[in-house]
Amino acid sequence: MISIHPETTRLGWIGTGVMGRSMCTHLLKAGYSLSVYNRTPEKSDSLVQMGARRCESPLQVAQNSDVVFSMVGYPSDVEEVLLGESGALRGLRSGGILVDMTTSRPALAEAVYDKAKQMGCHALDAPVSGGDIGAKEARLSIMVGGDRDVFDALVPLWKSMGKTYVYQGPAGSGQHTKMVNQILIASSMVGLCEALLYATRSGLDPQTVLESVSSGAAGSWSLSNLTPRILREDYSPGFFVDHFVKDLGIVLDEAARMQLQLPGVELAIDLYRKLQGMGHGSSGTQALWLAVSR
Amino acid sequence: MISIHPETTRLGWIGTGVMGRSMCTHLLKAGYSLSVYNRTPEKSDSLVQMGARRCESPLQVAQNSDVVFSMVGYPSDVEEVLLGESGALRGLRSGGILVDMTTSRPALAEAVYDKAKQMGCHALDAPVSGGDIGAKEARLSIMVGGDRDVFDALVPLWKSMGKTYVYQGPAGSGQHTKMVNQILIASSMVGLCEALLYATRSGLDPQTVLESVSSGAAGSWSLSNLTPRILREDYSPGFFVDHFVKDLGIVLDEAARMQLQLPGVELAIDLYRKLQGMGHGSSGTQALWLAVSR
């Protein structure tokens, strides 16, 4: 198995959006050489200024890398940048490693894993939680599926980007774990908005209510971190509504496949779709308040 | 306004169940004289051994007290012990204070407040969160409605029983705040159980999943404190299912009155009623897992 060291390991990164860019910055600061690709090249400019090499395609990134990370938007993007005509897998050396950090379909993670194996390569699914701030502060939680020895080999890289990194099981398990994370957030957001609606309509002062309820059995990360944003009408994205709807769609597809009923998730996706219909796809998830309160 | 001091203030307590008993213990230890009443007298035995005086009725408690607390089961019990034939209000001296700590209807809190005023007395609604353990460790959150000067006068008593005590507004505001608390818990419990269902069915190890999800944006008190109980199949009550259904019923009645839709609460009460139907009314709220997973 590969041994990771800044002087000998060449890294690649596909998808330098808000989160990817922060994560790349940590890797560059740790001393790694880094090849980057983004569909909109300007989004890699700051990384190139820090010493990253700009590539013309995912394939070119892979030709210059031992470990290739991807962090893009949708499962269709993952398919294209990893498995497509000019995708990373076609350029990766034998023994090379693909790490997809996009939140995507578990079945796609399994397919990437199988195809990588066929080429003598490795693949991990490693979605994260913690949002833009977690990425910036290297405090992400990284949930990993694939082979344990590959997970173990990459520990120095997980450490550069995250605070919590846990091996969850075979290919797809990282994605499944992220789905669990999103299920928890979905109902938590519905509860938060309904609680806020009840509080305001019954004449309470929401800020004073928070003093009573946030540190006890009703407490949650969402309540403590997103309610203040709602109260100052700040709907800017920590995490995009459009992406959350994508994630909950994957959850419900997987649930249908496993013949599970998840009415809490169904309720949440309905409300979030209503919010998209109100033109808030690019707002942060806390904008759910606007759909619940109108 | 009354000045509270262990040597001069006579306290009374109606309803010495699990939580009431712990709270009375703190008051006795703080040096107050205490008159107690419970429908099932044996439940006051330990308090009588500590020096409390046993009374035959709520009325008799009030005749011996300057401040009377009540903590009973349902709004109908509150009505009986405070406003009934042998209820506390009939025995309370002018200037005396009623403090109802039961989770009950906001409108009833307002009625008690008005009736107390007519008698030259005061009333506060002061429901709590924190459960049996919070009561035992004097770490409750106490949410108070009524007159602010009465709330202020009772600070030494709040301090004996709770960690957080917040004045929320006029009569009924304590109850409304507690409803907000229960709305948050309701959706949180649904999310927790659906997440656990997805995790187990997709082949993940729930304990390992918790390591990834509990400290980030999906984190909550319920997730950290109740999931471990579910995983060891411990459905013993911190908080009774029957009482939670009562609380959510009050929430929905109030919501209907305010013409609010709370679909998350509706979903939760349906699942909890299903759980009651399975014979789990006296289990703890974490038993919701049994209704969601079957």
Side-chain angles (χ1 to χ4, degrees), chain A residues 96-147:
Chain A
I97 302 171
L98 295 179
V99 182
D100 183 32
M101 304 188 89
T102 318
T103 297
S104 167
R105 295 188 184 283
L108 177 56
E110 292 173 42
V112 169
Y113 175 90
D114 289 339
K115 288 211 162 67
K117 271 270 134 84
Q118 285 164 22
M119 313 276 289
C121 298
H122 309 282
L124 298 174
D125 49 302
V128 303
S129 78
D132 50 348
I133 296 169
K136 198 165 188 172
E137 298 178 350
R139 293 172 56 85
L140 294 169
S141 171
I142 310 173
M143 314 162 207
V144 187
D147 293 339

Side-chain angles (χ1 to χ4, degrees), chain A residues 36-39 41 53-61 64 86:
Chain A
V36 297
Y37 168 80
N38 198 68
R39 201 161 42 185
R53 165 209 286 244
R54 195 196 310 273
C55 294
E56 301 304 316
S57 67
L59 183 132
Q60 201 188 341
V61 167
N64 289 285
S86 53

Side-chain angles (χ1 to χ4, degrees), chain A residues 186 189-198 200-201 230 267-268 270-272 274-275 278 285-294, chain B residues 183 259-264:
Chain A
M189 288 306 302
V190 171
L192 188 168
C193 291
E194 291 191 356
L196 195 52
L197 182 64
Y198 182 103
T200 52
R201 295 291 176 83
I230 294 172
L267 171 61
D270 284 351
L271 291 167
Y272 271 105
K274 180 179 167 193
L275 184 61
M278 291 164 64
T285 50
Q286 74 276 18
L288 187 65
W289 166 247
L290 299 171
V292 169
S293 63
R294 92 175 201 160
Chain B
I183 293 169
Q259 297 184 291
L260 299 182
Q261 299 287 322
L262 301 179

